[in-house]
């Protein structure tokens, strides 16, 4: 086992879905995977491995924010040999032509997290998705008839942000949406030479104030999981 994941070597598949919420990990395991077995419940951060269309896939909760996902991604890659990491999460849209319930594929992730500033000695590293995962997810989403947007997302360290000028400035630079994990996932994947992608659904619209109902969130979550699983096993 690693420091935060109570699994044995070989328990975790090379392809993994990463929801922030561990109960979403359980939901994915119960509703999308066959023969799913729980390999982790340390800190209640559930992880499961099963099969999807005959191929082994795992799903692991990451918690919220850059520090939390960084711990899980680091251990999954370095201690358990995970090679394809696909975050499945929600985001708040900041472009008028991006609608609630849309899918967003994060091609790149701008961030206000201090982690990369520190690690890269002040250089602005550009955290970037893996192109082949991005293409597979895009093609799959289009084939499913989903409204899909591809572009830059903002990984924020602050959910309740006091700076009212920040979001309009990012929106002017074509950033599509705000979330809290992708820059860390992409940076660690690059560092260790593995593939990563964030598949996000728009749960709320920061400009228009529009929100999704819990039933809509469930439906869009299911659509997103289909896109992510198809890309994971392709
Ligand atoms: N901010 C940050 N993360 C989010 C949001 C948001 O508005 N909505 C969903 N995830």
């Amino acid at each position: 086992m690693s420091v935060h994941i109570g699994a044995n070597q070989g328990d975790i598949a090379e392809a993994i879905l990463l929801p922030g919420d561990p109960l979403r990990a359980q939901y994915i395991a119960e509703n999308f995977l066959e023969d799913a077995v729980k390999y982790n419940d340390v800190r209640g951060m559930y992880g499961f491995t099963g099969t999807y269309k005959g191929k082994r896939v795992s799903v692991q909760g990451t918690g919220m924010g850059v520090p939390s996902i960084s711990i899980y991604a680091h251990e999954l890659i370095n201690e358990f040999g995970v090679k394809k990491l696909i975050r499945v999460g929600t985001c708040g849209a900041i472009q008028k032509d991006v609608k609630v319930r849309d899918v967003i594929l994060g091609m790149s992730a701008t961030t206000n997290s201090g982690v990369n500033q520190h690690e890269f000695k002040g250089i602005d590293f550009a955290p970037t998705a893996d192109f082949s995962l991005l293409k597979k997810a895009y093609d799959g989403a289009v084939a499913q008839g989903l409204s899909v947007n591809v572009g830059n997302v903002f990984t924020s360290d602050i959910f309740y942000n006091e700076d009212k000028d920040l979001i309009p400035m990012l929106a002017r630079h074509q950033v599509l949406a705000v979330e809290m994990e992708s820059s860390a996932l992409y940076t660690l994947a690059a560092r260790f030479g593995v593939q990563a992608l964030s598949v996000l659904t728009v749960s709320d619209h920061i400009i228009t104030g529009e929100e999704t109902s819990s039933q809509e969130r469930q439906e869009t979550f299911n659509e997103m999981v289909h896109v992510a699983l198809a890309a994971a096993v392709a």
Side-chain angles (χ1 to χ4, degrees), residues 66 107-130 152-155 181-194 196:
V66 164
M107 184 156 66
S108 51
T110 298
T111 187
N112 62 358
S113 163
V115 172
N116 278 5
Q117 286 271 311
H118 182 74
E119 299 261 28
F120 290 91
K121 303 182 193 303
I123 290 171
D124 286 326
F125 178 72
T128 308
D130 176 77
N152 197 354
V153 297
F154 178 53
T155 299
E181 292 83 15
S182 296
S183 69
L185 179 65
Y186 292 179
T187 301
L188 289 171
R191 183 169 304 155
F192 300 120
V194 299

Side-chain angles (χ1 to χ4, degrees), residues 11-130:
D11 283 353
I12 306 180
E14 284 199 356
I16 197 161
L17 264 54
L18 301 172
D21 179 352
L23 294 180
R24 293 282 196 184
Q26 183 168 2
Y27 174 85
I28 293 168
E30 288 173 353
N31 293 282
F32 290 85
L33 302 186
E34 284 173 32
D35 305 321
V37 174
K38 192 194 285 178
Y39 64 73
N40 185 55
D41 57 13
V42 176
R43 287 178 181 257
M45 203 58 85
Y46 301 137
F48 300 83
T49 299
T51 61
Y52 179 76
K53 300 203 167 153
K55 300 213 173 126
R56 272 184 101 219
V57 181
S58 295
V59 53
Q60 169 70 54
T62 65
M64 290 181 280
V66 164
S68 190
I69 195 170
S70 296
I71 288 169
Y72 291 99
H74 186 104
E75 292 181 20
L76 289 167
I77 297 165
N78 291 298
E79 311 273 346
F80 296 101
V82 174
K83 304 278 186 230
K84 281 184 198 176
L85 300 94
I86 304 181
R87 163 164 152 68
V88 285
T90 58
C91 61
I94 63 171
Q95 295 291 336
K96 287 206 180 73
D97 56 358
V98 175
K99 309 291 182 208
V100 292
R101 304 195 57 169
D102 277 10
V103 170
I104 293 184
L105 304 176
M107 184 156 66
S108 51
T110 298
T111 187
N112 62 358
S113 163
V115 172
N116 278 5
Q117 286 271 311
H118 182 74
E119 299 261 28
F120 290 91
K121 303 182 193 303
I123 290 171
D124 286 326
F125 178 72
T128 308
D130 176 77

Side-chain angles (χ1 to χ4, degrees), residues 202-215:
V202 178
S203 58
D204 51 282
H205 205 297
I206 293 173
I207 309 294
T208 66
E210 202 184 348
E211 290 175 356
T212 43
S213 68
S214 60
Q215 190 191 335

